[in-house]
Amino acid sequence: MAFNFILVIAITLIVAFFLSKFMFKGQTKNLPKGSLGYPLIGETFSFLRAQKQDRGPEWLEERTSKHGPVFKTSLMGSPTVVAVGQAGNKFVLGTEEDVLSAKKPVALVAIAGKQNIFELTGSRYRLVKGAMVSFLKPESLQNYIKQMDELTKIMLLRETENKDTIKAVVTMKKLTFNIASSILFGIKDEHTREVLFDDFSLAFKAGWSVPINFPGTVYWRGLRARSRIVSRILPILKERREEILQGKLSPTSNVFSCLLALRDENEQPISDDLILDNYVTLMIASHDTSATLMSLMIWKLSTDSEIYKKVLDEQMDILRKREEGAEDRLTWAEIQKMKYTWRVAQELMRIIPPVFGSFRKALKDTEYGGYDIPKGWQVYCVSHGTHMNKEIFEKPTEFDPSRFENPSKPIPPYAYIPFGGGLHTCIGNEFARVEVLTTIHNLVTMFEWSQVFPDEIITRQPMPYPSMGLPIKIRPRKL
């Protein structure tokens, strides 16, 4: 069995090697310098290994020092041009979608689905984006604050009950998953959420893997997890559709009901497949990135007493100024007062961006920096190229939240990109801000904590997390 598996892998690599030779035979295009690496695999393993060791910037710098700020490689199963710097960010994120599409790598598309919002273009993209934005814009978020605050309190109390130590990363992942499931999609059943959480954990890892669909691989496990997610959500869609027809559910109740009520340009409902693909996509996008930032906030507050004191003072001041007799729930106005806490989050996202970079796909032959980019190739920009640039951010290696308060010079466009940029700027950035601030408010006002391992480092898996899961000793705060 093992020999047969190795033989299949070997044959696949050999075939891929000769196919790549055939595809580029006689090609006269002026491609950037660099290496496409091994057949099929490319440089994916070395890239992911560097990320896991928190050496992503070094991996990048090794290639830019050798080939310049524009170089070619092969990542996640596709030949890729990497463009580093502000101009590169603007090219990748700001070019019109008929030239560079937000289409994702092969593995991520297989997990998210072919009709996810990043794969859509034109009227279908605008239709689905409009439905999602209607639930993620500030006017709508104001209606979710109390529900999000209550859910956060309940989960934190439950996760810490009869415990003096918890793993903060797992707790934050559960919290963000339950907030998205409950508030955005109206999935209230706890057992359903628990099962979906386990499968989404597998699916997300597979989205950043080499797309080899053999039993036992991360990709194979992720595809099976996606199938189970679809099987569990389809009956929920059927039930919601019937409730809308019977007038029991408003089309504006949650994202599911809104998508079910959508009609295309021909007044036809959109397919279940499209709804499922965008459910998976939105859950992945809203779950892990927010959990990353929350975990990094807890990690930073654990290691920097000065930052912690300022955040604590700001959050306790909100409680002190709450009117006597007022409901013990956060309000939209109170969220807006958390300016310093959010600046800490902004600085964390500058130094340790949750997403290392952004992919686009060339829909036609194009060029950048004097080099040709063939149709079908990926292009990739990275946050590190500008976030740690001393010409843009003074003393970039220093942690200084005040740089986002009154910067001595404005931050130029496409230089700070934790939420992407251009046409496909993250539509959930405001939802993430409210979610993070609500969580940190409850953590610092309800609990005190300390790290079990003070020297715990950050690694990318592929998101940046404390390497040991951030175990913390936690106890209720004495007010």
Side-chain angles (χ1 to χ4, degrees), residues 2 8 47 64 81 138 195 199 261 290 363 476:
V8 170
F47 177 70
T64 55
V81 171
V195 174
D199 279 331
S290 293
L363 299 183

Side-chain angles (χ1 to χ4, degrees), residues 185-339:
F185 293 98
I187 300 175
K188 308 293 185 182
D189 181 69
E190 290 191 16
H191 174 70
T192 299
R193 293 199 306 229
E194 288 175 5
V195 174
L196 286 170
F197 174 78
D198 292 338
D199 279 331
F200 267 104
S201 299
L202 294 172
F204 185 80
K205 290 178 182 177
W208 290 93
S209 66
V210 177
I212 299 177
N213 190 17
F214 288 114
T217 63
V218 173
Y219 184 66
W220 178 81
R221 289 196 294 269
L223 290 177
R224 290 167 67 87
R226 177 191 155 87
S227 295
R228 291 192 296 270
I229 291 168
V230 169
S231 296
R232 192 164 291 274
I233 293 299
L234 273 173
I236 294 176
L237 287 184
K238 182 180 179 181
E239 180 182 348
R240 299 282 173 82
R241 182 179 284 109
E242 291 174 354
E243 289 176 341
I244 291 174
L245 291 173
Q246 295 169 6
K248 296 179 180 179
L249 182 67
S250 167
T252 60
S253 296
N254 52 61
V255 176
F256 272 153
S257 62
C258 185
L259 291 174
L260 285 167
L262 278 185
R263 294 295 181 268
D264 63 17
E265 61 274 14
N266 299 316
E267 290 301 313
Q268 295 298 311
I270 61 176
S271 67
D272 284 353
D273 287 343
L274 189 148
I275 296 174
L276 288 164
D277 288 354
N278 285 286
Y279 161 69
V280 174
T281 301
L282 193 54
M283 286 302 298
I284 290 175
S286 64
H287 166 221
D288 226 60
T289 47
S290 293
T292 297
L293 182 53
M294 291 178 190
S295 300
L296 292 176
M297 287 285 283
I298 296 171
W299 171 77
K300 183 63 180 177
L301 296 178
S302 303
T303 57
D304 193 319
S305 58
E306 183 180 348
I307 297 289
Y308 172 76
K309 184 179 184 306
K310 289 181 179 178
V311 169
L312 177 62
D313 286 347
E314 180 175 78
Q315 298 301 333
M316 295 302 290
D317 191 54
I318 287 172
L319 294 185
R320 286 192 292 269
K321 291 181 177 177
R322 191 171 283 170
E323 292 183 11
E324 186 176 344
E327 187 179 3
D328 185 26
R329 287 287 180 268
L330 275 176
T331 65
W332 180 255
E334 289 172 340
I335 291 287
Q336 306 317 307
K337 294 177 181 177
M338 302 179 188
K339 297 184 184 303

Side-chain angles (χ1 to χ4, degrees), residues 41 65-66 81 95 134 163 200 252 265 274 283 285 442 448:
I41 295 172
S65 63
K66 186 176 181 180
V81 171
T95 299
S134 67
K163 297 176 186 176
F200 267 104
T252 60
E265 61 274 14
L274 189 148
M283 286 302 298
N442 282 294
E448 296 176 331

